[in-house]
Amino acid sequence: MKARLPQGFNTPGAANLQQLARQAQKMQEQMEAITAELEEKEYTAAAGGDAVKAIVTGKMEVKAVEIKPEVIDPEDAEMLGDLVTAAVNEALRAAAREKEERMSAVSGGMGIPGVM
């Protein structure tokens, strides 16, 4: 006895669905590759005219903070804290911005949950 496919299974719609699934799989693989690549990158930002530099990774982790000695003023620790915060935040924004741009290029601008 010959097995039969359910009615409508072998229609162009089913083929389109399979093609869509293959495209989604390819897109997922591309996004995973981009994520792995970006996680290895470093992003640097400065504040206070290069008085403070922050280096973060694509994993959104702070790798280093460099402070020029001349900006270390025991009387104004708050200002130094503000400069460090500004530099770190800008470096993190740069990392997030590149990831968003690269993922958007792959996904065609579709809002895919969990990607960004």
Side-chain angles (χ1 to χ4, degrees):
M1 182 168 177
K2 201 172 187 182
R4 289 190 198 183
L5 292 174
Q7 184 177 7
F9 185 77
N10 228 3
T11 65
N16 287 341
L17 188 57
Q18 290 172 346
Q19 181 181 4
L20 184 61
R22 282 192 299 272
Q23 287 174 340
Q25 177 67 29
K26 182 179 178 184
M27 185 185 309
Q28 180 180 0
E29 290 169 1
Q30 289 174 324
M31 288 180 163
E32 288 171 0
I34 289 170
T35 298
E37 176 188 336
L38 292 176
E39 285 180 350
E40 297 300 316
K41 287 187 75 170
E42 293 181 359
Y43 301 84
T44 303
D50 286 342
V52 176
K53 285 185 182 178
I55 302 167
V56 301
T57 68
K59 292 181 182 179
M60 304 300 175
E61 297 172 344
V62 178
K63 183 173 182 179
V65 175
E66 300 171 2
I67 302 170
K68 288 189 177 178
E70 58 268 18
V71 298
I72 299 174
D73 180 1
E75 302 295 318
D76 197 3
E78 185 178 342
M79 185 265 313
L80 181 56
D82 290 345
L83 291 174
V84 170
T85 301
V88 169
N89 284 334
E90 184 55 35
L92 289 171
R93 279 192 291 272
R97 188 171 39 249
E98 182 175 2
K99 183 174 183 178
E100 185 177 340
E101 289 169 359
R102 300 273 307 269
M103 292 299 185
S104 181
V106 170
S107 69
M110 290 188 301
I112 301 174
V115 170
M116 213 26 232

